[in-house]
Structure formats: structure tokens, C-alpha cells
Amino acid sequence: PPEMQAVVAASREEALEQIRRLLAWGIAAGASDGGLSSVPPVDVEIFARMLVGLAEGGARMVLDEPQVWTVERFTTFARQILDALAAAR
């Protein structure tokens, strides 16, 4: 129904805005401490939309096959990725 579509669209836009702000903060913080000084600028809008798309895809996986794609599996994966990114810095 159109009402539900409007709620989903508003929620998606809110999530995008939060991710944009987080990415901008993280990029600025990395640049200020010299960690990203040699890295070309990142397109925050593309990055944010890609992250939302990945999250939505992950949610669909969990809903479609919860016995295979468990929340715990995604949580473990997210921790592993964050740990790897932190170590690479």
C-alpha cells in the first residue's frame, strides 16, 4: 500500500542521512590524524547508498533463509570486517 511505501521510503532516507553523517565524520577524522591523507576523496553519497543496499540485501537473506543466514552470522561477519579495517589502519 502507498502508506507503507511512504514509511519505508522515509525510513530509508533517514538511514541514508545517518550513514552520510557517519561517513563524513569518519573520513574527516581519518584525514585529520593523517590516516587518510594519501587516499583520494570518497564519494560519500555512493558509499552511503551502497551500505544501505548491502544492509537491505542482508535483511532479505535473513528473512528468506533464517536457518542459513542467521543474525549471529551477520554479527560475527560485521565484527570481523571492522576488526580487519582497524588492523589495516
Side-chain angles (χ1 to χ4, degrees), residues 27 30-42:
I27 291 167
S32 70
D33 72 9
L36 298 176
S37 58
S38 64
V39 177
V42 173

Side-chain angles (χ1 to χ4, degrees), residues 38-57:
S38 64
V39 177
V42 173
D43 187 319
V44 171
E45 185 65 23
I46 290 174
F47 198 175
R49 290 179 180 272
M50 289 180 69
L51 290 174
V52 168
L54 287 169
E56 289 174 348

